[in-house]
Amino acid sequence: MNTLLMSLILMTMTYQMPTLPYANNALEPVISQQTIDFHYGKHLQTYVNNLNSLVPGTEFEGKTVEEIVATAPDGAIFNNAGQVLNHTLYFLQFAHKPSKKEPTGKLAEAIKRDFGSFENFKKEMNAASVGLFGSGWGWLSVDKAGKLHITKEANGSNPLRAGLKPLLGFDVWEHSYYLDFQNRRADHINALWDIIDWDVVEQRM
């Protein structure tokens, strides 16, 4: 492929909605079809639409969402790119009937090494997600040396901002759980463990 053709392809890059690997009602009762319809179908679609309208003509044209999140200054482009990335990782990490209740292999070994046990990791992840003030995300991520980190990310931020690779994210914006759990954020976070597709999360290591 010649350079000109590649440039034209990059210049016309558009950001797409992720395809859900399950039906809109498949995650019930943890996440209802109504929440999927609003959270995925409306909130995420709006972030995707916004990003596609904001990027053309800027220095970020032709860049991946990950590149934008890692390098863009605070502002509208970063906010929408962050939420496109966050929600893509979020929605793709769930399954109707996960094949296992906790990770195995390299991720399991890293969790035991860095948190002592899977149960202790869950407690720390829950505490970070429940304790974040306002809107944002709780993330498990890994650094370049292979060490795991749990971080609180405000609003639409992502661990990529700090040079970390995101593995597992809990959305604690109220729109992610209010229809199903009202103001009971802790109950929502506890329920999410039942639908995590650990095969997907492990592949992100």
Side-chain angles (χ1 to χ4, degrees), residues 2-14:
N2 64 45
T3 303
L4 176 59
L5 182 56
M6 178 62 76
S7 297
L8 289 173
I9 290 172
L10 288 174
M11 292 295 286
T12 58
M13 177 187 289
T14 56

Side-chain angles (χ1 to χ4, degrees), residues 40-57:
Y40 168 81
K42 296 187 183 296
H43 286 278
L44 177 52
Q45 184 68 70
T46 297
Y47 294 130
V48 170
N49 293 345
N50 287 345
L51 191 61
N52 280 319
S53 67
L54 289 166
V55 166

